[in-house]
């Protein structure tokens, strides 16, 4: 409380505002609050966000790549100038998608920049999936968007009318027009992209899957693209103010429904309210989906390489990820391991969140006694989870996964990363300048000198196995305290939504921002008035999910190397 006895919003932790207060405030009141808040001049939702990563395919979103680029990446967070109030950031395999408070979607990078694909020139529009957006471009869509999910080469959206969209290119998004999806029993709860497919969780707990690159839907999309190409006026060229005029169309193909989940055991320490056990959350990765029930059961469904594989898959209950008794005998808690100190076993557990990408998934709970459990595509009912001791009981509120790097966000606004260097995606700083032997640095002087001589060449810093805090003040003349409240990762890149906790200007940072904003997007007045409905204010949690991408260095979650999957840098 202030001296006048009034509530000072700046004294409330941002995660409390986002998770517990703002979702309960009526939209008109929230709009007035956003206009009058004096929190560091950013209002409540006006954040800078910093990508740090491989710079290829335009995924940095900067018109001028910083001079500190090392080889193919920027090894620390770099702020993107933005005039919109960004509330969500989602990474794809070679791209980023951002959602603002009015439901507008901004994109940059390449939806499909995989090796072997064609490279679009200025003569190509965004009807080409390989067309790059070097700086953020806004998609002109029919309705405001509520949520975004990204796969390796595609993305899917859920709009305010409950229409489900998918992009295999940014110029010609399509919606699922099957009449059955208007049935109240199939009302969408969550849209989630896997590696090469999309999925839908309905409010009744049913799961549907579709494959935009194969099978009947892939054929229909290819045929429609050829028709639009022949018409000549549907290339979706970007305008001078960085707007992509989308040409929307519908696909009347019903997604494939997965079988219902099996009968599941009652979990200890959960309150049985006689409510039917059902899925409340899903996360998707390479050919698999993991699901979470309202009681905390974690399940996995495989064989999702295409629509023909569905009959051969089944929901498998994962007791090692769900039951406290299984965790108590895990080597991390039982003391039967020599590589880490024994942790106190949890007395209770109820998984509340899922995240997945490429070959791995994470099941975790939040709060001061948070538990983080890691699995992969090979996880079976008797497979114990991988447990990273440094992430347990640390108030983790989000975990996101890249190809071979990872990030975890804490309730006090700290972002921790670990895994492979991945062209700078860990964001821990310039490996050529960090102290030898520290996380993100080279192990010894010999390795450092060889890297300097070859400008890395094939020599990169060793895998970081201990989650390490990321700094967000690399462009500042003096240390600055900043609060990260959301993060995303995929491929070889990471992004974060960050706010300043300190007032005052930094001349060097301001000058860098002016330099980088030379071509930054500035929505026109007509764009700001596009939606007649109130701004969409997404609830927290749904956007804290990493999505798919791929690279060719090992590392993964805590140094896990994929088995038999190394087909080049397609991140």
């Amino acid at each position: 409380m202030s001296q006048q006895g009034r509530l000072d919003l700046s004294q409330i932790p941002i995660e409390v505002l986002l998770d517990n207060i703002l979702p309960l405030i009526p939209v008109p009141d929230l709009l007035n609050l956003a206009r009058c808040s004096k929190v560091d001049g950013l209002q409540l939702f006006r954040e800078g966000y910093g990508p740090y990563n491989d710079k290829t395919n335009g995924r940095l979103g900067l018109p001028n790549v910083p001079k500190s680029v090392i080889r193919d990446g920027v090894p620390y967070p770099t702020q993107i100038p933005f005039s919109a109030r960004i509330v969500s950031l989602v990474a794809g395999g070679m791209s980023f998608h951002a959602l603002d408070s009015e439901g507008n979607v901004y994109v940059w990078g390449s939806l499909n920049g995989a090796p072997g694909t064609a490279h679009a020139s200025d003569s190509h529009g965004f009807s080409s999936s390989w067309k790059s957006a070097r700086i953020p471009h806004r998609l002109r869509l029919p309705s405001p968007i509520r949520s975004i999910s990204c796969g390796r080469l595609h993305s899917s959206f859920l709009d305010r009318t409950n229409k489900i969209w998918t992009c295999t290119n940014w110029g010609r998004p399509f919606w699922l027009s099957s009449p059955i999806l208007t049935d109240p029993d199939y009302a969408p709860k969550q849209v989630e992209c896997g590696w090469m497919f999309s999925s839908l969780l309905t409010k009744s707990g049913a799961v549907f899957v579709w494959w935009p690159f194969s099978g009947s839907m892939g054929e229909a999309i290819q045929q429609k693209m050829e028709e639009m190409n022949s018409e000549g006026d549907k290339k979706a060229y970007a305008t001078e103010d960085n707007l992509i005029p989308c040409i929307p169309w519908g696909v009347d193909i019903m997604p494939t429904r997965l079988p219902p989940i099996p009968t599941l055991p009652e979990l200890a320490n959960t309150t049985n309210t006689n409510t039917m056990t059902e899925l409340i959350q899903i996360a998707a990765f390479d050919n698999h989906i993991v699901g979470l029930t309202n009681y905390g059961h974690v399940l996995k469904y495989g064989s999702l390489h295409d629509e023909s594989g569905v009959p051969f898959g089944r929901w498998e209950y994962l007791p090692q990820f769900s039951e406290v008794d299984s965790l108590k005998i895990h080597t991390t808690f039982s003391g039967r391991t020599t590589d880490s100190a024994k942790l106190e076993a949890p007395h209770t557990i109820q998984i509340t969140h899922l995240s997945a990408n490429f070959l791995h998934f994470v099941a975790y709970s939040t709060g001061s006694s948070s538990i983080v459990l890691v699995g992969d595509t090979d996880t079976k009912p008797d497979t114990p989870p991988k447990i990273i001791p440094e992430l347990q009981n640390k108030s983790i509120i989000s975990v996101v996964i890249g190809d071979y790097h990872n990030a975890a966000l804490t309730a006090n606004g700290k972002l921790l990363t670990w895994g492979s260097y991945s062209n700078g995606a860990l964001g821990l700083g310039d490996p050529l300048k960090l102290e030898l032997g520290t996380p993100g640095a080279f192990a010894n002087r010999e390795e450092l000198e060889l890297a300097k001589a070859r400008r890395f060449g094939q020599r990169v810093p060793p895998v970081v196995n201990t989650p390490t805090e990321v700094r967000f003040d690399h462009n500042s003349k003096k240390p600055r305290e900043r609060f990260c409240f959301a993060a995303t990762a995929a491929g070889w890149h990471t992004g974060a939504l960050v706010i300043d906790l300190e007032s005052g200007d930094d001349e060097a940072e301001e000058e860098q921002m002016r330099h980088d904003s030379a071509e930054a997007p500035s929505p026109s007045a007509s764009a700001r008035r596009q939606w007649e409905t109130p701004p969409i204010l997404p609830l927290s949690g749904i956007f804290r999910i990493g999505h798919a991408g791929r690279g060719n260095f090992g590392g993964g979650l805590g140094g896990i190397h994929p088995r038999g999957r190394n087909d080049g840098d397609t991140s």
Side-chain angles (χ1 to χ4, degrees):
M1 301 291 286
S2 67
Q3 294 180 351
Q4 291 79 17
R6 297 177 181 175
L7 181 64
D8 185 350
L9 292 179
S10 66
Q11 297 176 359
I12 301 176
I14 193 70
E15 75 275 9
V16 175
L17 286 172
L18 293 172
D19 291 352
N20 299 41
I21 298 178
L22 300 185
L24 304 178
I25 299 177
V27 169
D29 294 342
L30 193 54
L31 291 177
N32 292 330
L33 184 62
R35 293 189 183 100
C36 71
S37 174
K38 298 297 189 296
V39 181
D40 198 32
L42 288 170
Q43 290 79 49
L44 292 174
F45 289 101
R46 196 171 209 173
E47 286 75 25
Y49 49 89
Y52 40 98
N53 49 48
D54 186 327
K55 69 181 179 63
T56 57
N57 310 117
R59 71 186 79 181
L60 281 179
L62 296 171
N64 300 293
V65 178
K67 294 180 180 180
S68 56
V69 165
I70 299 177
R71 199 166 172 241
D72 293 322
V74 175
Y76 56 79
T78 304
Q79 187 171 354
I80 296 179
F82 231 100
S83 58
R85 295 181 293 183
I86 302 302
V87 297
S88 172
L89 181 65
V90 184
M94 286 141 271
S95 64
F96 281 99
H97 293 59
L99 183 68
D100 74 12
S101 59
E102 296 186 350
N104 294 301
V105 176
Y106 299 82
V107 299
W108 61 96
S110 299
L111 204 53
N112 183 1
T117 58
H119 292 281
S121 66
D122 291 339
S123 63
H124 290 84
F126 281 93
S127 59
S128 297
S129 62
W130 54 86
K131 176 73 171 179
S132 293
R134 194 161 56 93
I135 59 176
H137 283 56
R138 182 172 66 85
L139 303 184
R140 188 175 68 192
L141 296 165
S143 299
I145 299 301
R146 291 197 298 164
S147 68
I148 303 171
S149 181
C150 291
R152 178 179 174 240
L153 307 176
H154 73 294
S155 56
S156 288
F157 313 146
L158 178 63
D159 75 14
R160 67 173 297 273
T161 68
N162 281 343
K163 189 174 289 186
I164 300 163
W165 296 84
T166 297
C167 292
T168 55
N169 59 66
W170 285 323
R172 300 170 180 173
F174 65 87
W175 76 91
L176 301 182
S177 62
S178 174
I180 195 173
L181 292 176
T182 62
D183 189 315
D185 289 340
Y186 296 136
K189 181 182 182 71
Q190 181 188 356
V191 174
E192 172 78 3
C193 288
W195 186 253
M196 297 294 284
F197 65 87
S198 291
S199 56
L200 162 68
L201 174 65
T202 70
K203 291 183 178 179
S204 63
V207 177
F208 293 85
V209 182
W210 62 100
W211 292 262
F213 301 104
S214 63
S216 57
M217 183 170 288
E219 293 176 1
I221 292 172
Q222 180 62 30
Q223 180 179 348
K224 184 65 174 181
M225 292 301 103
E226 292 175 357
E227 292 176 2
M228 287 187 175
N229 289 341
S230 65
E231 294 173 6
D233 61 345
K234 293 182 171 57
K235 300 296 186 182
Y237 292 106
T239 65
E240 292 183 359
D241 58 350
N242 305 313
L243 174 69
I244 299 176
C246 299
I247 300 105
W249 59 286
V251 174
D252 187 7
I253 295 178
M254 184 62 188
T256 301
R257 182 171 182 172
L258 300 187
I261 60 175
T263 301
L264 297 169
E266 183 175 333
L267 296 179
N269 302 307
T270 59
T271 303
N272 190 339
T273 61
N274 296 319
T275 301
M276 180 178 64
T277 302
E278 61 185 14
L279 291 176
I280 59 169
Q281 189 181 146
I282 57 175
F285 51 133
D286 191 15
N287 299 335
H288 292 76
I289 287 177
V290 284
L292 176 68
T293 74
N294 49 333
Y295 289 109
H297 305 87
V298 179
L299 304 96
K300 184 166 78 82
Y301 197 103
S303 193
L304 296 176
H305 50 279
D306 59 33
E307 56 193 16
S308 68
V310 174
F312 300 98
R314 62 190 179 92
W315 288 107
E316 292 184 301
Y317 170 54
L318 305 180
Q320 305 272 353
F321 289 76
S322 311
E323 300 177 5
V324 69
D325 289 341
S326 296
L327 280 183
K328 287 180 178 179
I329 61 175
H330 193 283
T331 55
T332 300
F333 298 113
S334 65
R336 290 181 292 153
T337 180
T338 59
D339 59 357
S340 63
K342 178 183 176 182
L343 291 176
E344 182 180 354
H347 300 292
T348 62
I349 179 177
Q350 181 167 351
I351 298 299
T352 56
H353 293 75
L354 297 174
S355 180
N357 175 46
F358 190 22
L359 299 176
H360 295 94
F361 72 91
V362 181
Y364 59 101
S365 61
T366 58
S368 60
S369 58
S370 59
I371 295 294
V372 180
L373 310 175
V374 181
D376 59 29
T377 52
D378 290 337
T379 296
K380 304 296 182 185
D382 59 350
T383 304
K386 177 177 176 61
I387 297 179
I388 301 171
E390 294 82 2
L391 293 181
Q392 312 309 313
N393 305 314
K394 291 297 193 308
S395 296
I396 301 297
I397 61 172
S398 176
V399 183
V400 294
I401 310 169
D403 279 2
Y404 306 111
H405 72 285
N406 322 276
L409 182 62
T410 67
N412 63 349
K414 306 299 182 183
L415 185 65
L416 312 175
T417 62
W418 71 101
S420 288
Y421 174 71
S422 295
N423 282 358
L426 293 178
L428 298 178
D430 185 345
L432 301 179
K433 299 178 181 178
L434 293 173
E435 181 181 349
L436 293 174
T438 59
F442 287 94
N444 52 58
R445 178 66 59 182
E446 179 183 5
E447 291 293 318
L448 175 62
E449 294 304 323
L450 286 171
K452 286 182 177 179
R454 303 182 183 184
R455 294 303 294 171
F456 276 27
Q458 293 302 311
R459 294 187 179 274
V460 296
V463 168
V464 175
N465 291 313
T466 301
T468 303
E469 183 179 341
V470 175
R471 287 174 42 216
F472 290 96
D473 59 354
H474 285 271
N475 288 329
S476 299
K477 295 175 65 175
K478 62 180 180 179
R480 295 178 71 95
E481 186 177 2
R482 285 172 168 157
F483 190 105
C484 178
F485 69 90
T488 184
W492 290 13
H493 48 279
T494 307
L497 294 178
V498 178
I499 61 172
D500 265 312
L501 294 181
E502 301 177 13
S503 60
D505 296 330
D506 185 298
E507 293 180 4
E509 187 172 8
E510 291 299 319
E511 176 60 30
Q512 180 66 43
M513 285 294 295
R514 285 193 292 270
H515 173 71
D516 291 341
S517 63
E519 300 180 52
S522 179
S524 62
S526 60
R528 291 192 294 268
R529 294 193 302 265
Q530 179 180 3
W531 313 124
E532 295 180 357
T533 56
I536 305 302
L537 299 173
L539 297 181
S540 60
I542 192 169
F543 303 115
R544 293 173 177 166
I545 299 175
H547 305 286
R550 181 180 291 177
N552 64 1
F553 287 136
L557 280 151
I560 297 174
H561 292 259
R563 297 155 300 285
R565 298 296 299 274
N566 187 356
D567 54 359
D569 176 13
T570 58
S571 65

